[in-house]
Amino acid sequence: MSPRFTHHNEDSATQTSQSRRRFLLGMGALTAALAGCTGDDDEEANDSPTDDSSQDTFDPASELAYGEWLAADEDRLLFAYANVDEIPEGTVSSGSSEPSVDDPLILYPLAISGVVIGLGQLQLPYAGLGQTINPEASSDSTVSELTVVNGTVVAEGTFATEQLDERLTEPTDETFGVAHEQTGTIGDYDRYEPAEIPDSVESAPVVAVTDETVVVSQDADRLEQTIAARDGDQPRIFETDETVTDLIEQAGTGDLVVGQFGVPYEQLTGDGRIEPDPQFQPRSGEDVIASIAFDGEGDSIDSEFALAADNLDEDRQETVETSFGTAAVDGSKSVEVSDDGITATGTYDVEQLTEESAQEELSQAAAAELVPPEALTFQYEPPRGEA
C-alpha cells in the first residue's frame, strides 16, 4: 500500500499554495533551530568504548526512541522523528527560514523531516494538544518527542489526562469544533473516536491517550497497529528487513531523523514540490535514512545519510559524490559509494547555513488559519501493478 495526500479544496491553485505554506511551516520549525541552537550538551557522542557484541545485536526498538513505533504492515514507509527536548526552546513553532546552501546532505533531512513533522504537529490540536506546540501558550501537558509514521502521530511526554479528556469531549475552537467520545481502551490507552464533526472538517482522527503518550491517526486500524508495534505485538519493519536495520544503524541517530522507503515526493506532497528543494530525491528501489544532530554549544550540526539499493549506476554514484557535503566544514565530509549503497556524513557551521536565510514568520495558529487541518488527508491505496 502506498500513502497519498488527497486535497479536498476545489481550486487546485489554492491547494498548491496552501500546501506549500504548510510545508514551509514544518521546514521553518526545524531550520529555525539552526539559528537558535543554544544550551548545554551533557551527552558524550561516540566516546564510549566499542563493544563488538552490542554492535552485533543492534536493536532499534531498544536503542532508539522511535524504533519501537515502526510497524511493518506496509511495503512503503515514511517516518520522521524529532527529539523536541534537544531543539532549543521556541524553535519548534517559530517562523520558517531557508538554508542558503545547495547541499543535499543537510537539505534532504531538514526538508523532508520538516514536511512530515510539520504535518504531524497540525494533527495535535484535535487531541487537545494545540497549546503544547504554541510557544506563547502555557499547558499542563508537554511534548518531548514526536514520531510520525505513515501519517500516524505519536507524541511522547507528560500529559494531563483529565484535562485532555475535557478538551477531547467538548467541541472547541482549539479542536476545530470536533468532539470525541471515549469508546474503550487499547491496552493502557484510553481510546477516543469522533462523535461530532462540523461540516467544515472533512474527517477527524481517532486518538489514544495515556499519561506519557498520545497517538493520533486518521486511520483507526493504523493507530492500533502502531500501538501494537510499541507493545511488541506487531512486527516492526526492521525485524522483517535487515536492510532497514543496517540503514538505521548507519544514519538513524540524531535529534531529527527521516526514513523514506518507496514513497516518492509526488505521494508526499501531491505535486512533488518541496520547499526548500532537498536537492535530492530517492529513486524507485532506493531506501533512505537520514538525520541531523544539534551541537549543544550552538555552533554546528552533524548530518548523516545512508541509502540502500539493488544497483546504483555510475552516474548516480558520481552525482552523490560531487554534490553531497559541498557546504560541510573542511575535513568533516565523508562520502562512500558502492553499487548497492551510499553513506555520507558531514558537519555544518550554523552561521554559514543561516547567514543568508530568507525569513518568513508563520506561527502555528496562523498556519492553521491559512490551511485548515482537514485540507489534506493521509490515505493509503494499494499499489497498482506491483508484485
Side-chain angles (χ1 to χ4, degrees):
M1 295 174 122
S2 58
R4 176 170 67 90
F5 284 106
T6 301
H7 301 262
H8 297 287
N9 295 341
E10 296 179 357
D11 187 336
S12 61
T14 302
Q15 288 176 10
T16 300
S17 174
Q18 290 181 334
S19 299
R20 291 172 64 189
R21 285 176 185 270
R22 198 170 190 182
F23 300 146
L24 281 171
L25 167 67
M27 180 60 196
L30 303 180
T31 58
L34 301 179
C37 274
T38 58
D40 298 327
D41 187 1
D42 296 330
E43 296 182 357
E44 297 180 5
N46 301 322
D47 287 341
S48 57
T50 300
D51 184 340
D52 291 339
S53 63
S54 65
Q55 292 180 354
D56 292 340
T57 58
F58 174 72
D59 177 20
S62 61
E63 299 186 37
L64 300 174
Y66 64 86
E68 58 194 2
W69 299 105
L70 303 182
D73 64 312
E74 301 290 345
D75 293 331
R76 301 184 179 190
L77 173 68
L78 177 69
F79 79 87
Y81 163 78
N83 185 351
V84 179
D85 281 347
E86 293 301 317
I87 300 175
E89 184 178 356
T91 60
V92 173
S93 299
S94 53
S96 66
S97 60
E98 183 172 333
S100 58
V101 299
D102 294 323
D103 183 345
L105 179 54
I106 185 66
L107 287 180
Y108 172 79
L110 278 175
I112 303 305
S113 62
V115 171
V116 180
I117 292 296
L119 290 170
Q121 283 182 319
L122 293 179
Q123 291 287 326
L124 295 182
Y126 282 118
L129 293 173
Q131 293 183 5
T132 66
I133 55 176
N134 183 348
E136 299 178 357
S138 60
S139 175
D140 292 334
S141 298
T142 61
V143 175
S144 58
E145 294 175 295
L146 271 177
T147 304
V148 183
V149 184
N150 282 350
T152 294
V153 184
V154 178
E156 296 179 88
T158 57
F159 301 101
T161 55
E162 292 185 3
Q163 184 183 71
L164 290 185
D165 179 80
E166 294 177 1
R167 293 177 179 175
L168 280 162
T169 55
E170 293 293 333
T172 64
D173 290 342
E174 181 182 359
T175 60
F176 309 107
V178 174
H180 290 74
E181 64 177 350
Q182 184 177 347
T183 58
T185 59
I186 307 173
D188 295 333
Y189 294 79
D190 292 330
R191 174 177 179 146
Y192 294 83
E193 296 187 14
E196 182 179 332
I197 304 176
D199 293 339
S200 60
V201 175
E202 181 72 19
S203 63
V206 178
V207 180
V209 178
T210 71
D211 58 3
E212 295 183 347
T213 307
V214 174
V215 185
V216 185
S217 183
Q218 293 282 348
D219 187 321
D221 290 340
R222 179 163 298 282
L223 179 139
E224 293 182 2
Q225 292 164 0
T226 302
I227 293 174
R230 163 64 176 83
D231 293 339
D233 299 326
Q234 171 88 15
R236 295 112 175 191
I237 189 170
F238 50 82
E239 295 170 340
T240 62
D241 189 336
E242 292 182 2
T243 299
V244 177
T245 305
D246 293 339
L247 291 175
I248 293 176
E249 186 171 13
Q250 291 166 346
T253 60
D255 302 314
L256 297 170
V257 183
V258 61
Q260 190 172 358
F261 299 83
V263 182
Y265 290 166
E266 288 75 15
Q267 293 175 338
L268 175 59
T269 67
D271 60 4
R273 299 176 62 187
I274 296 175
E275 295 184 5
D277 186 349
Q279 303 291 327
F280 176 82
Q281 178 170 187
R283 295 175 177 175
S284 177
E286 294 180 349
D287 296 330
V288 175
I289 294 281
S291 66
I292 64 173
F294 295 95
D295 174 14
E297 300 299 322
D299 297 328
S300 64
I301 61 174
D302 296 320
S303 181
E304 296 182 326
F305 178 95
L307 179 149
D310 291 334
N311 183 41
L312 296 171
D313 59 37
E314 292 183 2
D315 289 342
R316 186 64 159 171
Q317 295 181 37
E318 182 179 359
T319 296
V320 170
E321 286 182 305
T322 57
S323 63
F324 274 55
T326 55
V329 174
D330 289 344
S332 71
K333 169 184 172 180
S334 174
V335 180
E336 298 183 7
V337 299
S338 65
D339 292 341
D340 59 1
I342 298 167
T343 58
T345 61
T347 299
Y348 292 81
D349 182 87
V350 170
E351 184 176 352
Q352 176 190 1
L353 290 174
T354 58
E355 62 184 1
E356 308 246 343
S357 296
Q359 300 293 329
E360 179 187 354
E361 293 297 326
L362 189 63
S363 69
Q364 285 281 354
E369 196 172 312
L370 285 167
V371 187
E374 70 274 7
L376 295 177
T377 299
F378 201 74
Q379 295 183 342
Y380 293 83
E381 294 184 345
R384 299 174 184 173
E386 292 188 16

